């Protein structure tokens, strides 16, 4: 009977283990399935295309050129190709202005003819229409837009996922922003956290420890939105005044806030690691004449190094994946980060801010999943890296 | 130990999710989902509608215009709130699925362009606003203010407000990359109130004394109009947009009573209380 209970308990635990492993795998599979389907799709909306006069020699248009054309930064075809006409833009919004309802027909049945005629008479036209609305005629042709490649996705410097007619999905500023904010956060948090952990484990008297430890653990229970609000109201103006900046929402503000948020994890985990150092080892060190400080730095810390590394990994994980707090204090401008006192946009903040409004299954939606894949790979890489270095140091 | 605990916890969560599916209720229930801009109106009208009709329960959920429209297409909500019109790809999707939406305007929202109260600039033309948000004007001294850099705040690129401002103020040009995107209107107000060189736009309902609204001109600087309930009602204030309720035509009967209530004089009074501009009859 007892055996049966034990066995079923064992089976249950095993099932739990498999279930959670399976969940993780399923999430990763789902993420990559959605994310990868994004690559090699067209940046132009489904069933839409750019039309020009058939005499226009332009071979293809990149997203950046399309954006400049529609922002009226490129005004003349000469800037792109050997074609001597100024650029005239034509979209569905211009129809009412150019044609009467009679010309277009009740159900827009004459739309094709109207647009074709217009392009024929204005040779510099660049028209953006649905392929269903506009049938091809000898006077007009479609300009091909190259698909989004992995290289363009990773190295593009402009993030305009909702730009019309062609979305710009350059994630380089987002990747660099995420790395900058989290690395700086861990650089601030790790020494501070380690110092606090050593103090708590080795130096503080028990009464002090009994007060400090619960307070620090309480910090990790604060919701990240509350941290974000605190950052926006306290840290952001503080940084703005300290450096005399025009704007306080900066990478530095995000890093400081993330450092504060990562502290409890780092302190608790590394303190636990430090406390696992056997008393015999400590006493041996002291008996050999080493001072308390020497014991801490030469004996206890090396002994606890794997635990401290785990603390660092958890801290980095928290920093890289943190969403809400960063969203509120970093300003979210998708600029290439050049200094710490400049707004940045991170990957998690981008996903959180944009996913709610993106149309389900659309290009933007898939691009956000691809960003999720990137984030996953970044955390995976940091974890592997740290794991590697610690296993090496443990051997030596 | 921690590891085992977390495994157990995950398993319990999964179990809980599997068992606790959505329950059905005996009363007639309507779900309203979508734009956070429309949310306050939906909440208030739903509350008073339910108070008058005890047999009906209305659930109001935010999440953004896109979320609401997606839910409506998938049949997960009865009414979608939206602060923007349907996008081209959404219209195509409707055609493919052979669904027809009824789209009703329930209120009008005026967007106020706001700056820090200490900013001496009082008024801007549309062209100047376009220059500021596209990044070609970067210093207040070009606009008659002090020699200080302009810090531009905007909503996130997925928000209906973002699209509306781009279309109606910026002549459909793209925002500059240096524009700061804030996750919520409240965050824009907070940031502008503590940044002297800041400019941004917010829904009229969010106006507070900590920020200063600018007068705007759409006729190259001949007439400037400030945002107010009066100027929005008589349509002299140029930056205003409709707020929508959308529902499936097949579902019209189910939502009719509530829709009528929102569009009635009583419902429109709530619209005005919340801070939006009621529809003029």
């Amino acid at each position: 009977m007892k055996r049966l209970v034990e066995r079923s308990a064992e089976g249950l635990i095993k099932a739990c283990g498999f279930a959670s492993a399976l969940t993780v795998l399923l999430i990763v599979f789902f993420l990559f399935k959605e994310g990868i389907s994004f690559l090699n799709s067209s940046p132009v909306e489904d069933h839409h295309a750019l039309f020009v006069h058939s005499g226009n020699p332009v071979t293809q248009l990149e997203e950046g050129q399309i954006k400049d054309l529609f922002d009226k930064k490129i005004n003349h075809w000469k800037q792109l190709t050997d074609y001597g006409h100024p650029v005239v833009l034509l979209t569905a919004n211009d129809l009412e202005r150019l044609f009467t309802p009679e010309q277009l027909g009740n159900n827009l049945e004459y739309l094709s003819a109207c647009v074709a005629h217009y392009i024929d008479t204005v040779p510099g036209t660049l028209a953006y229409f649905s392929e269903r609305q506009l049938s091809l005629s000898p006077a007009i042709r479609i300009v091909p837009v190259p698909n989004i490649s992995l290289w363009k996705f990773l190295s593009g410097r402009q993030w305009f996922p909702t730009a019309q007619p062609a979305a710009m999905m350059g994630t380089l500023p987002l990747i660099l922003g995420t790395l900058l904010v989290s690395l700086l956060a861990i650089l601030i948090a790790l020494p501070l956290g380690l110092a606090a952990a050593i103090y708590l484990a080795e130096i503080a008297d028990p009464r002090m420890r009994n007060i400090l430890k619960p307070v620090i653990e309480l910090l990790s229970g604060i919701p990240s939105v509350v941290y974000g609000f605190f950052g926006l109201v306290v840290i952001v103006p503080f940084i703005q005044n300290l450096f005399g900046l025009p704007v306080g929402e900066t990478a530095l503000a995000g890093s400081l806030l993330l450092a504060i948020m990562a502290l409890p994890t780092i302190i608790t985990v590394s303190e636990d690691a430090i406390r696992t150092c056997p008393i015999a080892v400590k006493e041996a060190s002291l008996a050999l004449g080493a001072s308390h400080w020497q014991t801490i730095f030469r004996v206890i810390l090396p002994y606890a190094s794997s635990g401290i590394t785990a603390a660092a990994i958890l801290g980095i994980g928290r920093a890289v994946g943190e969403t809400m707090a960063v969203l509120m204090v970093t300003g979210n401008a998708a600029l290439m980060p050049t200094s710490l006192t400049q707004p940045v946009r991170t990957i998690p903040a981008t996903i959180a801010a944009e996913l709610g409004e993106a149309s389900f299954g659309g290009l933007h939606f898939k691009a956000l999943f691809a960003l999720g894949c990137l984030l996953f790979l970044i955390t995976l890489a940091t974890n592997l890296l740290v794991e590697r270095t610690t296993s090496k140091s443990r051997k030596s | 130990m921690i590891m085992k605990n977390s495994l157990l916890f995950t398993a319990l969560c999964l179990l809980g999710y599997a068992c606790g599916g959505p329950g059905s209720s005996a009363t007639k229930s309507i779900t309203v989902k979508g734009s956070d801009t429309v949310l306050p109106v939906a909440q208030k009208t739903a509350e008073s509608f339910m108070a008058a009709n005890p047999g009906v329960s209305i659930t109001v959920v935010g999440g953004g215009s896109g979320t609401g429209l997606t839910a409506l297409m998938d049949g997960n909500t009865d009414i979608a709130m939206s602060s923007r019109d349907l996008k081209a790809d959404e219209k195509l999707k409707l055609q493919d699925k052979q669904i027809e939406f009824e789209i009703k305007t329930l209120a009008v929202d005026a967007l106020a362009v706001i700056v820090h109260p200490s900013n001496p600039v009082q008024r801007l033309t549309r062209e100047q606003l376009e220059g500021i948000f596209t990044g070609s004007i970067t210093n207040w001294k070009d606009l008659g203010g002090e020699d200080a850099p302009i810090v531009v705040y905007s909503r996130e690129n997925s928000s209906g407000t973002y699209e509306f401002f781009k279309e109606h103020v910026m002549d459909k040009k793209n925002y500059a990359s240096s524009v700061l995107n804030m996750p919520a209107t409240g965050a824009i107000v907070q940031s502008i109130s503590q940044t002297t060189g800041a400019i941004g736009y917010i829904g009229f309902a969010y106006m507070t004394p900590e920020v200063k609204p600018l007068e705007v001109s759409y006729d190259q600087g001949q007439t400037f109009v400030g945002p107010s309930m009066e100027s929005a009602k008589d349509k002299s204030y140029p930056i205003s947009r409709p707020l929508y309720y959308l529902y499936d035509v097949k579902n019209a009967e189910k939502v009719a009573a509530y829709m009528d209530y929102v569009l009635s004089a009583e419902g429109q009074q709530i619209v005005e209380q919340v801070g939006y501009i009621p529809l003029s009859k």
Side-chain angles (χ1 to χ4, degrees), chain A residues 249 331 345 354 356-357 360, chain B residues 64 67 93 153 156-157 181 191:
Chain A
E249 280 105 341
R345 188 178 181 93
E354 297 176 10
E357 299 272 354
F360 187 82
Chain B
T67 314
K93 224 179 268 175
Y153 287 91
E156 280 295 341
N157 58 35
N181 295 297
S191 291

Side-chain angles (χ1 to χ4, degrees), chain A residues 13 16-17 19-20 23 45-48 67 70-72 91 93-94 130 132 158-164 229 232-233 236-237 240 246-249 324 327-328 330-335 343 345 353-362 364, chain B residues 4 7-8 10-11 14 35-36 63-68 70 74 84 87-90 92-93 95-96 134 149 151 153 156-160 162-163 166-167 171-183 187 190-191 194-197:
Chain A
I13 289 172
C16 288
S20 53
T23 320
E45 236 170 303
D46 279 354
H47 308 295
H48 282 64
K67 177 170 169 274
F70 277 80
D71 282 355
K72 290 161 194 146
T91 62
N93 295 322
D94 303 316
S130 157
R132 293 181 186 180
Q158 297 204 62
W159 176 254
F160 285 101
T162 54
Q164 290 276 11
F229 190 66
L232 185 60
V233 179
V236 167
Q240 191 178 355
V247 54
E249 280 105 341
M324 208 50 220
L327 185 64
M328 290 171 85
T330 53
N332 303 318
L335 287 171
R345 188 178 181 93
E354 297 176 10
L355 196 60
E357 299 272 354
S359 64
F360 187 82
H364 186 193
Chain B
K4 270 186 191 161
L7 290 188
L8 200 67
T10 318
L14 282 173
S35 162
D36 292 316
S65 305
T67 314
T70 308
D74 298 341
R84 61 168 167 82
K87 284 185 187 167
D89 63 324
E90 285 164 340
L92 281 174
K93 224 179 268 175
Q95 274 179 6
D96 290 342
T134 54
V151 182
Y153 287 91
E156 280 295 341
N157 58 35
S158 48
S159 125
Y162 173 99
E163 288 291 337
K166 178 177 159 187
E167 213 158 283
D171 194 22
K172 298 183 206 102
K173 293 179 185 171
N174 283 296
Y175 289 80
S177 290
S178 56
V179 169
L180 281 83
N181 295 297
M182 302 307 277
Q190 175 67 33
S191 291
Q194 62 196 26
T195 309
T196 46

Side-chain angles (χ1 to χ4, degrees), chain A residues 267-290:
Chain A
I267 294 174
T268 324
V269 178
S270 46
E271 197 225 340
D272 284 346
I274 290 168
R275 291 177 80 81
T276 53
C277 182
I279 195 105
V281 175
K282 250 193 276 178
E283 278 173 353
S285 164
L286 293 170
L288 283 170

